[in-house]
Amino acid sequence: STQYLHMKAQKVKRGEFVRQGDVIGWVGMTGNTGGPHVCYRFWKNGRQVDPLREELPSAEPIVDSLQADYMAHIQPLKDQLDCIEFIDPT
């Protein structure tokens, strides 16, 4: 199972089945945070594990015929993210 914390709002309910690409919620900054983010936790057999070390089923890539439309759709969002100034706290 997965857990998502510090979200602005959730779109799905606990235990609801979701598929790749489904919107599950929106990034927020609840609690004592340094900025908007989502805290993602992955649980297996009741224990929190590193999701990057787990063997997960592979997903089919976006078909070639949809890639151009997809890239055009996400470009404004990517531009916004790319313009966020990072200030090194050190």
Side-chain angles (χ1 to χ4, degrees):
S1 63
T2 54
Q3 183 179 26
Y4 303 84
L5 305 157
H6 302 293
M7 296 178 70
K8 178 179 176 181
Q10 293 180 343
K11 187 175 178 184
V12 297
K13 295 183 178 125
R14 182 182 212 157
E16 189 173 339
F17 182 80
V18 295
R19 296 176 192 262
Q20 181 179 350
D22 289 351
V23 174
I24 60 166
W26 293 270
V27 171
M29 51 184 285
T30 63
N32 187 16
T33 66
H37 72 287
V38 173
C39 177
Y40 169 74
R41 295 184 183 173
F42 190 90
W43 299 81
K44 182 177 179 181
N45 300 321
R47 295 184 59 194
Q48 190 173 338
V49 297
D50 182 350
L52 299 178
R53 295 182 181 211
E54 294 300 310
E55 283 216 20
L56 301 172
S58 61
E60 293 295 322
I62 297 173
V63 295
D64 290 343
S65 62
L66 296 178
Q67 285 186 9
D69 287 342
Y70 172 75
M71 295 307 288
H73 177 77
I74 68 163
Q75 191 61 51
L77 299 171
K78 185 177 179 320
D79 291 343
Q80 287 179 354
L81 290 171
D82 289 344
C83 289
I84 295 174
E85 182 179 353
F86 173 75
I87 300 171
D88 188 349
T90 57

